[in-house]
Amino acid sequence: MGGLSIWHWIIVLAIVLLVFGTKRLTSGAKDLGSAVKEFKKGMRDEDKPVARLSDEARNAEEAAAKDRERERSGDDR
């Protein structure tokens, strides 16, 4: 009485197919698959080291940080 047999699952599947239709179920399965794929891709990307900035970009970032610091301190040179 506690478990469901294979026949119970077949009946449930048939009812689900009748209620939702195959088109809606396939699009839902496709959406679920792409979501899982994106999640796995995100987990893989997290493990990769962050790309280093080029020298020009690093210098520009440091200059911008110094400018922000000067603006905060009120020191205009």
Side-chain angles (χ1 to χ4, degrees):
M1 185 172 191
L4 296 177
S5 71
I6 188 70
W7 293 111
H8 290 106
W9 287 114
I10 291 174
I11 293 170
V12 169
L13 179 63
I15 292 171
V16 168
L17 284 174
L18 287 173
V19 170
F20 292 110
T22 57
K23 194 172 200 177
R24 190 179 288 173
L25 288 177
T26 55
S27 67
K30 195 179 297 184
D31 291 341
L32 180 64
S34 64
V36 169
K37 186 177 180 181
E38 287 296 319
F39 177 75
K40 287 181 179 180
K41 181 181 175 187
M43 294 301 289
R44 267 195 316 269
D45 290 346
E46 190 175 290
D47 295 338
K48 293 180 181 177
V50 177
R52 297 190 181 250
L53 294 175
S54 66
D55 289 337
E56 292 175 4
R58 188 178 306 117
N59 291 339
E61 185 67 31
E62 289 174 358
K66 287 179 184 178
D67 289 342
R68 286 192 298 268
E69 187 62 35
R70 265 191 251 135
E71 288 175 1
R72 283 190 208 131
S73 66
D75 183 22
D76 293 328
R77 293 185 193 179

